[in-house]
Amino acid sequence: MIRHIILHSPTAYREPATVAQATTDDQLVALWLHARSRHTQRAYLADVERFRALAGKQLHQVTLGDVQDFADSLVSLAPASQARVLSVAPFHT
């Protein structure tokens, strides 16, 4: 569902009239990706989905240990790819 909201939104590149509040993980991700290029949205969305699948919990429940486990799961990627994928780390705060 989040992929559809982000990638098919007619307002994907517009500034919001007011600051919205997220009440779900999908809304939080959509707000985080707002106003980024479609290419960036697709890449980051795939990274967030990968992180959420590994963590297996809601974002507000994620711990530093979950982020560290996720980082450890990326050892097969090139360092630059690891850095991009780990850009989802702000969700653990």
Side-chain angles (χ1 to χ4, degrees):
M1 179 171 166
I2 184 70
R3 183 175 298 278
H4 178 76
I5 292 169
I6 293 169
L7 299 180
H8 301 289
S9 172
T11 60
Y13 298 105
R14 295 185 193 149
E15 290 297 319
T18 60
V19 176
Q21 290 294 315
T23 57
T24 68
D25 287 353
D26 287 347
Q27 290 172 344
L28 177 63
V29 172
L31 287 172
W32 182 62
L33 293 175
H34 178 78
R36 298 178 189 259
S37 74
R38 288 212 186 272
H39 178 73
T40 299
Q41 288 179 2
R42 284 188 181 110
Y44 282 10
L45 182 57
D47 298 337
V48 170
E49 289 174 347
R50 185 177 185 174
F51 175 74
R52 289 172 68 184
L54 184 104
K57 57 179 82 168
Q58 293 183 345
L59 293 174
H60 73 275
Q61 298 172 320
V62 169
T63 66
L64 178 58
D66 296 322
V67 175
Q68 290 169 334
D69 289 344
F70 182 63
D72 291 344
S73 76
L74 304 174
V75 295
S76 64
L77 299 178
S81 295
Q82 288 180 27
R84 190 209 74 235
V85 172
L86 286 173
S87 68
V88 302
F91 288 115
H92 84 280
T93 59

